[in-house]
Amino acid sequence: MAADDDIVTPWNVTSKNDTGIDYDKLIKRFGSSKIDDELLVRFEKITGKKPHHFLRRGIFFSHRDMHTILNLYEQGKPFYLYTGRGPSSDAMHLGHLIPFMFCKWLQDVFKVPLVIQLTDDEKAIWKNIKIEDAIKLSYNNAKDIIACGFKPDKTFIFSNLEHIGNNPAFYQNMIRIQRCVTFNQVKGIFGFGDSDPIGKIAFPPTQASPAISGSFPFIFKNQKVHCLIPCAIDQDPYFRMTRDVAPRIGYPKPALLHSTFFPALQGSQTKMSSSDNNTAIFLTDTAKQIKNKVNKHAFSGGQATIEEHRQFGGNCDIDISYQWLRFFLEDDEKLEEIRKGYTSGEILTGELKKELIEILQNLVTAHQETRSKITDDIVKEYMVPRDLGF
Ligand code: TRP
């Protein structure tokens, strides 16, 4: 199967292969670098922390300029984290948690400021959502994001529709960036056409601006600070553009850490999506819904009958329950035991699913409990433009 059949854009991720996207080929196509053992060894040496299981397992698999960030950290020089979310629906799903769980860990390891952009403007343009409703979605999603445990004194969360009009430095950088990119270039990078609303064509600089520290004078006091962006690899086009423009407006290129996609329940050919209830587990699902969805829909790499399964064993590469355990079961030894047991046929699909269901139920219940305590006032505190002790 040619990897060229894989489609990876900010709006569409599909593969015809049942093991999903060929990520090594994607690294070549995008021109990024693989997160290899050497980088992980260096990461551990410099930070004194064992790399997160997302790094150890290749869930974050690709980077740009991560060595530069480690050099800065080694020299005691500052940098900051930037990530974001397009708040397209009230209910966030498990896949949406991945970059935020990882950012929370990075923030704890490096003790650096984090800015989180909520692109409600993007969603208003692309999904034709009313401006007022898009802002509401931002506030709603902010609660789920805050529930991931970000430090209030080091984290700034903002809605584009609310914040940019109050922050001239941000708008000025948008214009600086817009001046540097031609229509031909955005067509090439994002595939926009003559009939797209001009809002789409103008949008990419909005997502680029937070990577320029000058956009947040209240945090960075007009210093030119390096930025590290953890994101799913489909967002890379935005940041290829940003990396091209940043030096031209006098700033360092942002570094990146790219993740693979969180696969849909039905299989790795596509990522989890909010628009199809049955491909996703939502952070609002009950324990019972989680159990039913996994049992009914999680694509199985097991054999058709127990006899055949005992004889031939299961295929972890395509089995969604196993793939999801790689994301959420932290214990390396236990995961390896399960992999061996399932591959040899000793563990049945039902048993594998049971293991996953329990982990997901615990995770989602804990998330719901934390989220229920996050009031509108707490959200507002994170959204106030303020000094983050930088
Ligand atoms: N466009 C992203 C989305 O639709 C949201 C986003 C904005 C983002 N800035 C980002 C994601 C920075 C990752 C990193 O979800």
Side-chain angles (χ1 to χ4, degrees):
M1 166 67 51
D4 301 328
D5 289 339
D6 291 346
I7 298 170
V8 177
T9 74
W11 304 282
N12 188 9
V13 175
T14 46
S15 165
K16 294 194 176 135
N17 209 325
D18 49 11
T19 51
I21 308 290
D22 184 330
Y23 288 106
D24 284 333
K25 293 227 169 111
L26 203 56
I27 285 178
K28 287 211 187 94
R29 185 155 31 118
F30 281 10
S32 59
S33 310
K34 197 180 169 83
I35 296 181
D36 53 13
D37 286 343
E38 189 204 332
L39 182 63
L40 294 185
V41 167
R42 190 160 175 241
F43 187 102
E44 180 156 3
K45 201 176 130 215
I46 290 172
T47 64
K49 295 266 178 353
K50 182 171 163 187
H52 191 280
H53 69 276
F54 290 170
L55 286 168
R56 302 199 300 272
R57 295 178 192 163
I59 288 169
F60 274 78
F61 71 105
S62 152
H63 75 102
R64 295 183 189 274
D65 286 347
M66 190 56 203
H67 281 292
T68 307
I69 296 294
L70 290 178
N71 292 345
L72 289 169
Y73 188 72
E74 207 173 20
Q75 296 157 16
K77 291 192 183 141
F79 69 95
Y80 70 103
L81 291 163
Y82 158 42
T83 193
R85 150 144 186 87
S88 58
S89 74
D90 263 333
M92 282 175 58
H93 60 58
L94 284 177
H96 295 139
L97 279 185
I98 305 302
F100 292 111
M101 291 167 91
F102 189 57
C103 270
K104 141 93 179 131
W105 181 80
L106 288 172
Q107 186 181 49
D108 289 347
V109 169
F110 291 113
K111 308 205 166 36
V112 288
L114 162 66
V115 297
I116 301 178
Q117 177 179 53
L118 300 171
T119 52
D120 39 17
D121 51 349
E122 175 189 13
K123 294 303 158 182
I125 296 166
W126 262 267
K127 307 249 165 178
N128 239 329
I129 299 172
K130 272 200 222 140
I131 299 280
E132 295 77 6
D133 293 343
I135 296 174
K136 276 190 202 134
L137 292 177
S138 280
Y139 275 79
N140 217 315
N141 284 189
K143 288 192 178 175
D144 285 296
I145 293 170
I146 292 167
C148 293
F150 295 108
K151 299 253 178 318
D153 55 341
K154 286 235 174 296
T155 309
F156 174 54
I157 305 180
F158 62 100
S159 134
N160 278 350
L161 288 170
E162 279 199 342
H163 176 67
I164 296 173
N166 294 317
N167 181 353
F170 193 110
Y171 183 63
Q172 288 160 23
N173 279 332
M174 280 173 55
I175 299 299
R176 288 189 181 101
I177 297 166
Q178 286 182 349
R179 195 165 53 190
C180 290
V181 185
T182 66
F183 183 37
N184 260 325
Q185 286 169 322
V186 283
K187 269 202 257 187
I189 302 171
F190 299 97
F192 299 143
D194 288 351
S195 310
D196 276 313
I198 59 172
K200 290 191 182 180
I201 295 150
F203 173 74
T206 317
Q207 182 155 334
S209 290
I212 305 296
S213 62
S215 301
F216 306 104
F218 47 89
I219 303 175
F220 300 112
K221 328 269 158 51
N222 296 318
Q223 293 178 69
K224 297 188 173 178
V225 186
H226 274 81
C227 174
L228 170 62
I229 310 171
C231 62
I233 185 99
D234 63 333
Q235 298 298 306
D236 189 63
Y238 286 107
F239 302 121
R240 288 202 292 269
M241 184 196 83
T242 312
R243 284 168 56 82
D244 181 53
V245 172
R248 295 163 62 191
I249 63 171
Y251 280 86
K253 290 178 191 236
L256 288 144
L257 287 169
H258 296 122
S259 76
T260 61
F261 302 107
F262 188 69
L265 265 175
Q266 277 75 2
S268 295
Q269 287 92 340
T270 182
K271 64 174 179 173
M272 186 174 270
S273 153
S274 320
S275 20
D276 183 351
N277 210 342
N278 288 325
T279 70
I281 296 214
F282 294 97
L283 301 176
T284 47
D285 282 351
T286 62
K288 201 168 156 206
Q289 281 172 319
I290 292 174
K291 183 173 168 199
N292 288 341
K293 280 188 189 176
V294 172
N295 280 333
K296 220 170 148 182
H297 298 294
F299 184 80
S300 169
Q303 303 294 338
T305 65
I306 293 190
E307 292 71 36
E308 277 171 18
H309 190 83
R310 295 277 187 229
Q311 193 182 346
F312 302 112
N315 181 354
C316 285
D317 292 341
I318 59 170
D319 190 285
I320 289 300
S321 302
Y322 176 77
Q323 290 302 317
W324 284 16
L325 282 174
R326 290 181 64 245
F327 284 79
F328 296 119
L329 173 62
E330 276 176 46
D331 185 333
D332 288 336
E333 276 169 34
K334 180 130 195 242
L335 185 71
E336 180 56 13
E337 253 171 48
I338 291 174
R339 196 191 61 76
K340 280 197 187 133
Y342 195 63
T343 309
S344 71
E346 208 177 305
I347 296 176
L348 299 174
T349 299
E351 293 162 341
L352 180 69
K353 287 192 171 181
K354 192 160 169 277
E355 197 79 48
L356 174 70
I357 288 165
E358 210 183 291
I359 291 176
L360 295 184
Q361 286 174 333
N362 289 338
L363 179 98
V364 172
T365 314
H367 179 85
Q368 288 169 356
E369 263 171 36
T370 313
R371 189 189 193 278
S372 71
K373 293 188 196 107
I374 295 162
T375 59
D376 294 342
D377 284 341
I378 296 181
V379 175
K380 282 192 194 116
E381 281 170 34
Y382 280 85
M383 293 207 179
V384 175
R386 63 205 189 282
D387 194 324
L388 297 180
F390 184 83

